[in-house]
Amino acid sequence: MKHVSILVPKANAILSSIVGPYKIFSSVNHFFLQSGKSDAPLFDINLVGIDEKTVLYDGAFSIHCTATIEQIEKTDLIIIPAVLPQFVLQELEVNYDFVAWIKKQRLLHNAEIASLCMGAFLLAETGLVNHKQCTTHWAGIELFKQRYPQINIKPEKIITDEEGIYSSGGAYSFLNLMVHLVQKYCGKEVAIYVSKMFEIEIDRDNQNQFAIFKSQKEHSDTSIKKAQTYIEAHISDKISIEELSKKLAISSRNFIRRFKKATGNTPLEYIQRVKIETAKQELESSQKTINEIMFAIGYSDTKAFRGLFKRYTGLTPVAYKQKYNRELVSY
């Protein structure tokens, strides 16, 4: 039997990312018992908190934990649930007691660890994912990059899996990670059963199509903010990095360094992402052709535009329009 510890963070944990793993592992236990494949449950599922009771959503919900971290001497798998993106740093402070416990379980008992969505921040605090792959919700990627530069963040990934440490992308992507874990521990047949029972698409591997690029102005470099504003105001222009740095009276090399430090992107990446975000909005809301949209944001090479669009969204422009255009989508 595999001992599973689903953590119950204080304050602003996402309830579904606690209940979801609990229900999926419980369904696996039920499957094995009902099918006669096993006469005992495969998973010993525990809700583990810092305290015995955790209140969430300003008192709307409360969870009675089956154990506290002091009571769990050894576990095989730790699930770190998601927290609300706007409270992630506050959540780290009030839940920091989990960090030492997670490290102890990993180092002494080789426990596997899975972070869900913004739970990646708590995983990152342990240092156990340093120099390893990790993903999180697209809304937290830039803060994650700035706070944990030693981690190999994979913004496009739905799931990462490296040396017994797992992470999932944003929101309900955690369901894909749960199916991945079920397949690892129980085999493909059971994973397919779970995917059908909970109606989870098991072939998703990219979350870029869901990402909304934000302008990354939460920094104090006023010159770089001016450059960002200029880029956003000249969406149809072919912007030269050299000319832009001259406008700000900064050397090109220093400009690129400062831009990267302030935003997490090089100037070229920022220009590309601003343009692609504009293209996405047009594909979602207008009846313009792809060529019209491409020309409007300053691109003339169809192949290059298509490749760039797919790099940042995981879909071709045609596929993106078919999936998200308000006029084309039938409800």
Side-chain angles (χ1 to χ4, degrees), residues 20 37 65 85 87 89 94 114 167 173 193 204 221 251 254 258 275 286 288:
K37 291 179 179 294
C65 300
F87 299 118
L89 296 183
V94 299
S167 64
S173 295
Y193 165 79
R204 290 202 306 141
D221 194 324
S251 70
N254 194 30
R258 284 171 58 179
K275 288 176 179 286
S286 78
K288 293 178 182 177

Short mmCIF file of all heavy atoms in Angstrom, two decimals, residues 20 37 65 85 87 89 94 114 167 173 193 204 221 251 254 258 275 286 288:
data_model
loop_
_atom_site.label_atom_id
_atom_site.label_comp_id
_atom_site.label_asym_id
_atom_site.label_seq_id
_atom_site.Cartn_x
_atom_site.Cartn_y
_atom_site.Cartn_z
N GLY A 20 -9.88 16.93 -5.46
CA GLY A 20 -9.66 16.21 -6.71
C GLY A 20 -8.74 15.01 -6.56
O GLY A 20 -9.11 13.88 -6.91
N LYS A 37 -9.15 -7.16 -8.52
CA LYS A 37 -7.71 -7.14 -8.79
C LYS A 37 -6.89 -7.09 -7.50
O LYS A 37 -5.71 -7.40 -7.49
CB LYS A 37 -7.35 -5.93 -9.67
CG LYS A 37 -7.89 -6.04 -11.10
CD LYS A 37 -7.51 -4.80 -11.91
CE LYS A 37 -8.02 -4.90 -13.34
NZ LYS A 37 -7.34 -6.00 -14.09
N CYS A 65 -8.39 17.55 8.94
CA CYS A 65 -7.27 16.74 8.46
C CYS A 65 -7.24 15.39 9.17
O CYS A 65 -7.62 15.28 10.35
CB CYS A 65 -5.95 17.47 8.69
SG CYS A 65 -5.86 19.06 7.82
N PRO A 85 -3.39 32.60 -7.03
CA PRO A 85 -2.20 33.30 -7.53
C PRO A 85 -1.93 34.62 -6.84
O PRO A 85 -0.78 34.96 -6.57
CB PRO A 85 -2.53 33.52 -9.02
CG PRO A 85 -3.47 32.43 -9.36
CD PRO A 85 -4.30 32.20 -8.13
N PHE A 87 -2.34 35.46 -3.89
CA PHE A 87 -1.91 35.33 -2.50
C PHE A 87 -0.71 34.42 -2.32
O PHE A 87 -0.40 34.02 -1.20
CB PHE A 87 -3.07 34.81 -1.63
CG PHE A 87 -4.28 35.70 -1.60
CD1 PHE A 87 -5.50 35.24 -2.07
CD2 PHE A 87 -4.20 36.99 -1.11
CE1 PHE A 87 -6.62 36.05 -2.04
CE2 PHE A 87 -5.31 37.81 -1.08
CZ PHE A 87 -6.53 37.34 -1.54
N LEU A 89 2.57 34.57 -2.33
CA LEU A 89 3.68 34.89 -1.43
C LEU A 89 3.24 34.88 0.03
O LEU A 89 3.99 34.43 0.91
CB LEU A 89 4.30 36.24 -1.81
CG LEU A 89 4.95 36.29 -3.20
CD1 LEU A 89 5.59 37.65 -3.44
CD2 LEU A 89 5.99 35.18 -3.36
N VAL A 94 2.61 31.65 5.65
CA VAL A 94 1.76 30.98 6.65
C VAL A 94 1.87 29.46 6.58
O VAL A 94 1.50 28.77 7.54
CB VAL A 94 0.28 31.41 6.52
CG1 VAL A 94 0.13 32.90 6.75
CG2 VAL A 94 -0.30 31.01 5.18
N ALA A 114 4.57 15.87 -5.71
CA ALA A 114 3.85 16.42 -6.85
C ALA A 114 3.23 17.75 -6.48
O ALA A 114 2.43 17.82 -5.54
CB ALA A 114 2.76 15.45 -7.31
N SER A 167 5.25 18.13 -11.38
CA SER A 167 4.51 19.38 -11.27
C SER A 167 3.49 19.43 -12.39
O SER A 167 3.63 18.76 -13.41
CB SER A 167 5.44 20.60 -11.34
OG SER A 167 6.08 20.69 -12.61
N SER A 173 -5.26 21.44 -14.78
CA SER A 173 -4.21 20.59 -15.33
C SER A 173 -3.78 19.53 -14.32
O SER A 173 -3.19 18.51 -14.70
CB SER A 173 -2.99 21.42 -15.72
OG SER A 173 -3.28 22.30 -16.78
N TYR A 193 -9.20 3.97 -17.26
CA TYR A 193 -10.44 3.92 -16.49
C TYR A 193 -10.68 5.25 -15.78
O TYR A 193 -11.79 5.81 -15.83
CB TYR A 193 -10.36 2.79 -15.46
CG TYR A 193 -11.42 2.87 -14.38
CD1 TYR A 193 -12.73 2.46 -14.62
CD2 TYR A 193 -11.11 3.40 -13.12
CE1 TYR A 193 -13.70 2.55 -13.63
CE2 TYR A 193 -12.07 3.51 -12.13
CZ TYR A 193 -13.37 3.09 -12.39
OH TYR A 193 -14.32 3.19 -11.41
N ARG A 204 -3.22 15.75 -23.35
CA ARG A 204 -2.81 17.16 -23.34
C ARG A 204 -1.38 17.28 -22.83
O ARG A 204 -1.01 16.68 -21.83
CB ARG A 204 -3.72 17.99 -22.43
CG ARG A 204 -5.13 18.17 -22.95
CD ARG A 204 -5.80 19.38 -22.34
NE ARG A 204 -5.77 19.35 -20.89
CZ ARG A 204 -5.58 20.41 -20.13
NH1 ARG A 204 -5.34 21.59 -20.66
NH2 ARG A 204 -5.60 20.32 -18.82
N ASP A 221 12.55 49.85 -13.17
CA ASP A 221 13.43 50.43 -14.20
C ASP A 221 12.58 51.27 -15.15
O ASP A 221 11.94 50.76 -16.07
CB ASP A 221 14.14 49.32 -14.96
CG ASP A 221 15.31 49.84 -15.80
OD1 ASP A 221 15.19 50.95 -16.35
OD2 ASP A 221 16.32 49.12 -15.92
N SER A 251 23.28 51.77 -24.27
CA SER A 251 23.96 50.89 -25.22
C SER A 251 23.12 49.64 -25.43
O SER A 251 22.39 49.20 -24.53
CB SER A 251 25.34 50.49 -24.70
OG SER A 251 25.24 49.62 -23.59
N ASN A 254 23.75 46.87 -22.84
CA ASN A 254 23.21 47.20 -21.52
C ASN A 254 21.68 47.17 -21.53
O ASN A 254 21.04 46.74 -20.56
CB ASN A 254 23.71 48.57 -21.08
CG ASN A 254 23.48 48.83 -19.60
OD1 ASN A 254 23.47 47.91 -18.79
ND2 ASN A 254 23.27 50.08 -19.24
N ARG A 258 19.43 44.90 -19.10
CA ARG A 258 18.46 45.50 -18.19
C ARG A 258 17.03 45.05 -18.49
O ARG A 258 16.23 44.83 -17.58
CB ARG A 258 18.56 47.03 -18.24
CG ARG A 258 19.78 47.58 -17.50
CD ARG A 258 19.98 49.06 -17.74
NE ARG A 258 18.83 49.86 -17.35
CZ ARG A 258 18.80 51.20 -17.45
NH1 ARG A 258 19.86 51.85 -17.92
NH2 ARG A 258 17.72 51.87 -17.07
N LYS A 275 3.20 40.97 -29.85
CA LYS A 275 2.58 40.82 -31.17
C LYS A 275 1.70 39.58 -31.24
O LYS A 275 0.58 39.62 -31.77
CB LYS A 275 3.67 40.77 -32.26
CG LYS A 275 4.36 42.11 -32.53
CD LYS A 275 5.48 41.95 -33.55
CE LYS A 275 6.17 43.27 -33.86
NZ LYS A 275 5.35 44.15 -34.71
N SER A 286 -12.35 38.64 -34.11
CA SER A 286 -12.65 39.26 -35.40
C SER A 286 -12.82 38.22 -36.49
O SER A 286 -12.54 37.04 -36.30
CB SER A 286 -11.52 40.23 -35.79
OG SER A 286 -10.40 39.52 -36.29
N LYS A 288 -11.24 38.75 -39.40
CA LYS A 288 -10.10 39.01 -40.28
C LYS A 288 -9.43 37.71 -40.66
O LYS A 288 -9.41 36.75 -39.88
CB LYS A 288 -9.09 39.94 -39.59
CG LYS A 288 -9.60 41.35 -39.34
CD LYS A 288 -8.54 42.16 -38.61
CE LYS A 288 -9.04 43.56 -38.29
NZ LYS A 288 -8.04 44.34 -37.52
#
